[in-house]
Structure formats: structure tokens, C-alpha cells
């Protein structure tokens, strides 16, 4: 069977840490979508590492880590990631597998991303500029190159054919950039990629399922960044939700068991787009400082706000979440009054639904207030030891969403986690 861990907000919920925590209970950890726009932070022997494309099970012994077909892969970034993983003594050549169907990000995809964003001016998406959207456009436009293609003799000529198409797009943007050095790095990284385990991913994973192996699918980004159901157009270009597990790994929905949704105890967003509970004040600053809310991939400051149960309820619904993990509860330790958004007011009308279009609407969040716990919770190991104010906060979220918070993360270390009940 396959369990899923995914983010329910706008990304950076702490998926890396939580996947690393759960990984010992599985035999395979598989990324199903996204690419190097993701930045998943783990602490290994007290040392921080940020993974972008390699699944977060890579530090656990005897695990298979699969980069699935639904991912868009940057070989240059992968090579660097592999080198940094190897510096921890990990034999990635043994444990890392890549599906042949995974699409490649070319240097010219990154250039198009930059050209497109700069042409949008003030309306830019706030992309990580990793070439994600142009690579997925080439996939749905049926032009893209896939990992399996690198083993063919005509790969270089296929590359140049696509590169020439990209040049026309760049010319249309009047975007001039010399990418020859990036192309050299790309071909060097392609040679490196050839040395890894490139496999027919769908047979590989379904064979593992039929042998009764336990598989954990690792999401990237968050549900509110889903291309279909997020705050469009301020989204990423893949299906970040449970449905993306099936299309990204080639498995049947019947194989999916637990859907573990992660939410922060508050909310953040990086990049542009609507964020109803955003705090543009000293409280937002405090959360950013205490939560160290700066992008793992780009270093940009993250926008911070209160937890939004309207958006979370929507995310739980479209994902079929069966249990919740709440991360970064410790970040709220100092705050005396906590707020939880349980309704929106749009044009004077109350609603508990996420509207079709959030952008350009005046969405006023309505809040229920809670007394903060104002205690250091980072050393707590047992649920019975959490402050009563914290259990009130958690009980309210549980009952409003109708899904239990099963784990509470109270620090960056993998073992800083409290199992509820
Ligand atoms: P991901 O993209 O969902 O994997 O999340 P990121 O790694 O981008 O961002 C989460 C950040 O929060 C990282 O810096 C983590 O080390 C950190 N983090 C995760 N869980 C906790 C927690 O419970 N408490 C605190 N203080 N930090 C956490
Ligand atoms: P993880 O997996 C947070 C955001 C970008 C931008 C929008 C589109 O670490 O949670 P893209 O590069 O996909 O064209 O950017 O999506 N974004 C993320 N925000 N966490 C991420 O990944 C993100 N990946 C993309 O900031 O607003
Ligand atoms: Mg991240």
C-alpha cells in the first residue's frame, strides 16, 4: 500500500522533516511531482541539509528513493544534491532511482521562466525561477525531453531541436541571455545522470506494491499551490494533491491508504498571490523571526499569518486527508493571543468556502481567539505534558476540520515530535 505525506498550505509546512521521521516505517519513498522549486529541510546528525529533488528518505538505511515520472528534473541541481548527500556518507548510487518518464528541465527552460516572469512585471507569480512552468508546458505541449531520452543516440539532436524552439520563445520576449556555460554544466550533469539507476518507474513501483512493500509518497509545494485547485494563477505548475500521486507515480487510487496532511500551527506563503490571514505587522515579523521563515530554495522572506481553517478545510477535502501533522507549534510559544480564521467575509457576506477566485477580492478573515500557552514546549515528548492552552487550540482545529492532529512537531530536530493520544 501507499501512504502519502503532503503539504496543505502554500508549501514549506515541514514535509522534509516529517518524511524523514516516518521513513523508517517504509521501504520506498517516492517524489511524485514538482522539481527543484521544492526545498525540504532535514537535520542529519545535527547538520542541516536542504533537498530539492531527492526524496527525504535518502538518509535512512536500506530505503529505495524514487524520483517519479511526475517530477521535472534538473540534472545540474541533482548532481549537486547527490554530492552533498554523499558528504554524509550516503551511497546514493545504491538507493536512488529515477523514472525514465521524468521530464528534464533544460537551461533554456530556466531562461524562459526568467523571461516570462520579468515580462509580467508587477503581476509576476514570484516563481523560484527553476524552469518549472516552461518544463511542464513542454510536457503538456508534447515537446519535452525525458530522462529515458538521454540514453538514445539522438539525444543531442533532440536537445538542439527543442533548444531552437526555446530560442524563438526567448526572441519573442526580446530576452537576451548567454546560457552557453549553463549548457556545458547541463551536458556534464547528463553524463552523471547516466551513471544512476534509470528505471521503468511504473513497473518498479507496482511490482513493489504487489510484493507488499510499504511506500511513502512525498509531496512538494502545498495544496493551495496546486495548478487546478490552488490560488490560480499564483500557483505552481503541477498537481500537488493526492490525485497527483496516481498520475505522478503510475499507481491506482485504490492503492492509497493514509493521506497525511501537514499544516503549520500558523501559515506562510512565499511569492505573490492572495493570503487572507497574512499579518503585515509586528506579529507577522515576530512569527517570521521565531519561525526562521526564509525560503529554503530562494532565501526570500516568507509572508506570515494566522492559521486559516477555511483554506485548510478545502485542502483536507480535495486530498482526502485521513490524519494531520501540525508543525512549528513551538514558534507560537511567546505569543499571548492566538487567532484562528474560521470564516471569510467577502463583500460583506460570511462564507466557509474558498471562492473560485481569491485574487482581487477583499477577503476579510474572521477569527476565533485563543489564549497562548506562553511556555517553552520544545522539550515536551508526551502529549499529556502539553499546556492546556495548547490542547484547547488543537482540539478546536481537530473538531472544526473533523480530522485528528496525530502528531505535533515542536522543533527542527527529527525527534522533536509529540504523538497525540
Ligand atoms: P518543506 O518544504 O515542507 O519541507 O519545509 P521547509 O524545509 O522549506 O521549511 C520548514 C522549515 O521549518 C525548515 O527550516 C525546518 O527545519 C523547520 N521546521 C520543521 N518543523 C519544525 C518545527 O516543528 N519547529 C520549528 N521551529 N521548525 C521546524
Ligand atoms: P516546498 O516543496 C513554497 C511557490 C513560489 C511561487 C509559486 C510558483 O519546499 O514546499 P514555481 O517555481 O513553481 O514556478 O513557483 O510557487 N513555490 C513554493 N513555495 N514552497 C515550495 O516548495 C514552493 N515551490 C514553489 O514561491 O509563488
Ligand atoms: Mg520548502
Amino acid at each position: 500500500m501507499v501512504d502519502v505525506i503532503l503539504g496543505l498550505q502554500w508549501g514549506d509546512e515541514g514535509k522534509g522533516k516529517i518524511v524523514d521521521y516516518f521513513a523508517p516505517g517504509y521501504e520506498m519513498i517516492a517524489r511524485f511531482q514538482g522539481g527543484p522549486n521544492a526545498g525540504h529541510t532535514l537535520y542529519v546528525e545535527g547538520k542541516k541539509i536542504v533537498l530539492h529533488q531527492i526524496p527525504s528518505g535518502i538518509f535512512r538505511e536500506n530505503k529505495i528513493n524514487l524520483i517519479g515520472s511526475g517530477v521535472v528534473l534538473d540534472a545540474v541541481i541533482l548532481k549537486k544534491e547527490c554530492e552533498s548527500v554523499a558528504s554524509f556518507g550516503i551511497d546514493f548510487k545504491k538507493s536512488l532511482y529515477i523514472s525514465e518518464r521524468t521530464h528534464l528541465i533544460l537551461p533554456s527552460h530556466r531562461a524562459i521562466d526568467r523571461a516570462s516572469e520579468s515580462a509580467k512585471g508587477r503581476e509576476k507569480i514570484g516563481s523560484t525561477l527553476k524552469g518549472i512552468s516552461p518544463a511542464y508546458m513542454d510536457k503538456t505541449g508534447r515537446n519535452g525531453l525525458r530522462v529515458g531520452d538521454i540514453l538514445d543516440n539522438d539525444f543531442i539532436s533532440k536537445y538542439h531541436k527543442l533548444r531552437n524552439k526555446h530560442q524563438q520563445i526567448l526572441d519573442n520576449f526580446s530576452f537576451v541571455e548567454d546560457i552557453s556555460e549553463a549548457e556545458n554544466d547541463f551536458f556534464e550533469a547528463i553524463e552523471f545522470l547516466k551513471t544512476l539507476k534509470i528505471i521503468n518507474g511504473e513497473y518498479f513501483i507496482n511490482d513493489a506494491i504487489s510484493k507488499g512493500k510499504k511506500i511513502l509518497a512525498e509531496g512538494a509545494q502545498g495544496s493551495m499551490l496546486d495548478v487546478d485547485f490552488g490560488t490560480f494563477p499564483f500557483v505552481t505548475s503541477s498537481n500537488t494533491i493526492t490525485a497527483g500521486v496516481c498520475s505522478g507515480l503510475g499507481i491506482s487510487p485504490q492503492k492509497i491508504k493514509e493521506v497525511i496532511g501537514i499544516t503549520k500551527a500558523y501559515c506562510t506563503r512565499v511569492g505573490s498571490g492572495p493570503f487572507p490571514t497574512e499579518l503585515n505587522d509586528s506579529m507577522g515579523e515576530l512569527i517570521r523571526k521565531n519561525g526562521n521563515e526564509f525560503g529554503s530554495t530562494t532565501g526570500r522572506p516568507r509572508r506570515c499569518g494566522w492559521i486559516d481553517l477555511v483554506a485548510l478545510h478545502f485542502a483536507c477535502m480535495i486530498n482526502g486527508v485521513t490524519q494531520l501533522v501540525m508543525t512549528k507549534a513551538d514558534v507560537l510559544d511567546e505569543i499571548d493571543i492566538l487567532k484562528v480564521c474560521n470564516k471569510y467575509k467577502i463583500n460583506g457576506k460570511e462564507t466557509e468556502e474558498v471562492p473560485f477566485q481569491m485574487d482581487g477580492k477583499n477577503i476579510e478573515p474572521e477569527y476565533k481567539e485563543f489564549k497562548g500557552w506562553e511556555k517553552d514546549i520544545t522539550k515536551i515528548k508526551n502529549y499529556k505534558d502539553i499546556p492546556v492552552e495548547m490542547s484547547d487550540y488543537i482540539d478546536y482545529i481537530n473538531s472544526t476540520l473533523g480530522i485528528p492532529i496525530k502528531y505535533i512537531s515542536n522543533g527542527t530536530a527529527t525527534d522533536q515530535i509529540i504523538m497525540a493520544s
Side-chain angles (χ1 to χ4, degrees):
M1 291 304 265
V2 181
D3 292 340
V4 184
I5 289 187
L6 42 72
L8 298 176
Q9 298 168 310
W10 280 279
D12 304 326
E13 297 88 352
K15 298 174 290 292
K17 166 181 164 165
I18 301 302
V19 169
D20 178 42
Y21 173 81
F22 280 107
Y26 294 87
E27 280 151 293
M28 188 191 299
I29 296 88
R31 270 281 301 271
F32 58 93
Q33 48 68 236
N37 48 350
H40 296 181
T41 312
L42 280 71
Y43 280 81
V44 183
E45 293 150 12
K47 250 179 90 183
K48 178 177 166 172
I49 180 162
V50 180
L51 295 171
H52 301 286
Q53 304 168 111
I54 296 178
S56 303
I58 197 76
F59 293 101
R60 300 294 179 174
E61 244 175 280
N62 298 323
K63 305 294 167 200
I64 291 166
N65 286 270
L66 172 66
I67 298 179
S69 302
V71 170
V72 285
L73 186 74
D74 186 317
V76 178
I77 294 175
L78 182 70
K79 185 166 171 277
K80 284 194 197 124
E81 280 186 83
C82 285
E83 286 160 4
S84 100
V85 160
S87 73
F88 285 84
I90 300 294
D91 184 2
F92 60 84
K93 293 216 167 166
K94 210 174 101 206
S95 54
L96 183 64
Y97 293 72
I98 304 165
S99 168
E100 287 169 319
R101 289 183 173 81
T102 306
H103 276 250
L104 289 169
I105 299 178
L106 274 44
S108 42
H109 283 134
R110 293 206 303 274
I112 295 170
D113 215 356
R114 288 192 285 272
S116 161
E117 279 285 86
S118 81
K120 283 187 168 152
R122 287 181 54 212
E123 284 162 17
K124 69 174 185 182
I125 305 296
S127 165
T128 60
L129 304 178
K130 302 290 179 199
I132 304 297
S133 152
Y136 276 117
M137 278 163 76
D138 269 341
K139 173 176 171 167
T140 53
R142 297 161 296 181
N143 293 313
L145 293 176
R146 299 183 290 174
V147 168
D149 293 328
I150 69 171
L151 305 171
D152 289 346
N153 290 331
D154 61 350
F155 176 67
I156 306 265
S157 75
K158 277 183 176 164
Y159 172 85
H160 285 292
K161 207 170 142 204
L162 186 54
R163 169 74 181 88
N164 290 340
K165 275 191 189 173
H166 289 169
Q167 192 55 50
Q168 288 173 15
I169 298 171
L170 291 166
D171 291 347
N172 277 341
F173 278 116
S174 304
F175 189 82
V176 182
E177 197 177 87
D178 181 7
I179 59 165
S180 49
E181 205 176 304
E183 286 187 297
N184 290 339
D185 293 345
F186 174 78
F187 282 109
E188 203 183 294
I190 291 296
E191 288 311 307
F192 168 78
L193 191 54
K194 284 181 187 167
T195 68
L196 302 182
K197 290 190 165 112
I198 297 173
I199 49 147
N200 201 342
E202 291 63 49
Y203 285 99
F204 185 73
I205 196 163
N206 280 290
D207 185 47
I209 293 170
S210 65
K211 288 187 176 132
K213 294 195 170 158
K214 286 189 76 186
I215 295 162
L216 182 60
E218 172 179 1
Q221 290 78 56
S223 302
M224 298 309 283
L225 287 171
D226 181 275
V227 65
D228 285 294
F229 304 107
T231 46
F232 190 87
F234 300 98
V235 293
T236 189
S237 300
S238 64
N239 281 119
T240 60
I241 59 170
T242 311
V245 176
C246 298
S247 57
L249 295 176
I251 58 158
S252 152
Q254 284 142 354
K255 304 287 187 238
I256 293 176
K257 208 170 127 219
E258 295 295 324
V259 178
I260 302 162
I262 311 183
T263 171
K264 282 179 183 167
Y266 49 97
C267 194
T268 65
R269 163 162 214 170
V270 62
S272 330
F275 180 3
T277 61
E278 182 169 14
L279 290 164
N280 289 308
D281 58 11
S282 57
M283 183 58 77
E285 277 295 329
L286 181 77
I287 295 175
R288 187 175 307 113
K289 184 174 128 288
N290 290 358
N292 192 22
E293 293 294 358
F294 296 88
S296 312
T297 299
T298 58
R300 293 177 291 178
R302 294 176 183 147
R303 300 156 63 192
C304 298
W306 299 119
I307 195 165
D308 178 348
L309 298 189
V310 179
L312 267 180
H313 180 262
F314 176 73
C316 289
M317 174 178 77
I318 59 177
N319 282 301
V321 171
T322 58
Q323 47 181 289
L324 291 164
V325 176
M326 177 185 275
T327 55
K328 307 193 82 159
D330 54 299
V331 174
L332 304 182
D333 279 0
E334 275 181 32
I335 303 175
D336 53 352
I337 305 281
L338 302 171
K339 294 190 187 183
V340 176
C341 167
N342 53 12
K343 280 191 195 79
Y344 295 156
K345 201 179 226 179
I346 308 176
N347 298 330
K349 238 181 107 186
E350 278 188 346
T351 179
E352 288 173 23
E353 288 189 4
V354 171
F356 141 75
Q357 182 62 287
M358 271 192 171
D359 191 35
K361 282 215 171 78
N362 180 21
I363 301 179
E364 286 171 60
E366 294 195 353
Y367 292 111
K368 184 172 165 61
E369 290 192 359
F370 287 83
K371 203 178 159 318
W373 43 91
E374 298 183 86
K375 279 185 193 83
D376 176 2
I377 61 156
T378 55
K379 292 181 186 64
I380 296 178
K381 298 277 174 215
N382 297 309
Y383 192 77
K384 65 170 177 37
D385 298 326
I386 69 168
V388 61
E389 295 86 354
M390 188 172 164
S391 72
D392 287 348
Y393 187 75
I394 285 169
D395 287 349
Y396 180 72
I397 295 169
N398 282 344
S399 66
T400 308
L401 296 177
I403 300 163
I405 293 174
K406 286 261 176 90
Y407 299 87
I408 300 149
S409 173
N410 58 340
T412 53
T414 310
D415 63 355
Q416 279 178 300
I417 197 151
I418 306 163
M419 218 167 117
S421 67

